[in-house]
Amino acid sequence: MGTVVALVVLGAIVLWMAASYNGLVRLRNQVKNAWYQIDVQLKRRYDLIPNLVETVKDYMSYEQETLEKVIKARNMAINASGAKKQAEAENMLTGALKSLFAVVERYPELKSNENVQRLMEELTATENKISFARQFYNDSVYRYNTRIQVVPTNIIASMFNFKPQEFFEAPGEEREAVRVDLR
């Protein structure tokens, strides 16, 4: 009778360990998938930027510095790795794109160009998709990190070397409160 009880307890422990391990693997893969979803949207944005720059280049002969900043920021973002460095590079690219959009506003003929309008709309839609993908990634990281830190799955996580993942953090200036002046 004692042997049967020991075997049942041992079997329950093995089943719990397997279920915990499989759950951690699923969560880790979800984090990777979420990161790749960000990559897909960023790639789309990277592909749109040269088209936009080429389209506006003829109109903006006096604004070469702005175009060069956009291309430089795009190249830095493409080569960034890891959540923290990617967030920093994406922040620079977003700032460069904002400067480009501000310049486009100064050229009414350029602003009304159908290709420019279409590219800017696609960039705006892509920015929204990137934002959603970042949110999904951070949600996945939250679930994964929580799971590897809570008892008893932290035992399995420690045994099989599951490491916490980095969150995709908003740049410092995006955290500050927006000031509205209605005077």
Side-chain angles (χ1 to χ4, degrees):
M1 180 70 175
T3 305
V4 172
V5 171
L7 286 175
V8 168
V9 170
L10 183 62
I13 290 172
V14 169
L15 287 175
W16 170 78
M17 288 179 69
S20 295
Y21 178 81
N22 290 339
L24 290 171
V25 169
R26 272 191 293 276
L27 288 173
R28 184 175 58 194
N29 288 340
Q30 185 179 14
V31 169
K32 287 180 183 176
N33 179 45
W35 183 254
Y36 292 137
Q37 293 304 315
I38 292 173
D39 267 356
V40 167
Q41 297 306 323
L42 292 177
K43 171 85 170 82
R44 177 176 164 72
R45 180 164 77 167
Y46 300 152
D47 291 345
L48 288 171
I49 290 170
N51 293 335
L52 180 61
V53 168
E54 281 301 315
T55 304
V56 302
K57 196 182 260 183
D58 293 336
Y59 292 92
M60 299 172 45
S61 59
Y62 300 108
E63 307 287 352
Q64 289 301 312
E65 184 180 341
T66 302
L67 296 177
E68 289 169 6
K69 284 182 181 176
V70 170
I71 294 298
K72 182 180 176 185
R74 175 189 175 266
N75 291 338
M76 288 178 64
I78 287 172
N79 295 320
S81 61
K84 185 176 182 180
K85 289 187 178 186
Q86 187 79 47
E88 291 170 359
E90 291 302 321
N91 183 38
M92 288 181 60
L93 180 57
T94 299
L97 284 174
K98 285 179 183 174
S99 298
L100 178 62
F101 291 164
V103 169
V104 168
E105 292 291 325
R106 288 188 286 206
Y107 294 85
E109 187 177 325
L110 176 60
K111 186 179 172 188
S112 63
N113 180 298
E114 188 176 315
N115 287 338
V116 171
Q117 286 180 343
R118 186 177 51 77
L119 286 168
M120 290 180 72
E121 287 171 7
E122 285 188 42
L123 274 173
T124 301
T126 302
E127 291 294 329
N128 291 335
K129 290 176 184 177
I130 291 169
S131 177
F132 178 77
R134 286 176 182 161
Q135 183 180 359
F136 179 69
Y137 171 78
N138 280 343
D139 289 345
S140 298
V141 168
Y142 170 78
R143 280 192 297 275
Y144 172 77
N145 285 349
T146 300
R147 189 78 186 265
I148 66 170
Q149 294 170 354
V150 297
V151 175
T153 51
N154 66 339
I155 297 167
I156 302 299
S158 165
M159 287 173 60
F160 293 100
N161 205 21
F162 285 85
K163 300 286 183 197
Q165 299 292 314
E166 286 183 60
F167 285 97
F168 199 104
E169 294 183 36
E173 61 270 9
E174 289 183 15
R175 290 188 202 153
E176 294 175 10
V178 176
R179 293 176 185 231
V180 178
D181 188 4
L182 299 175
R183 286 186 272 163

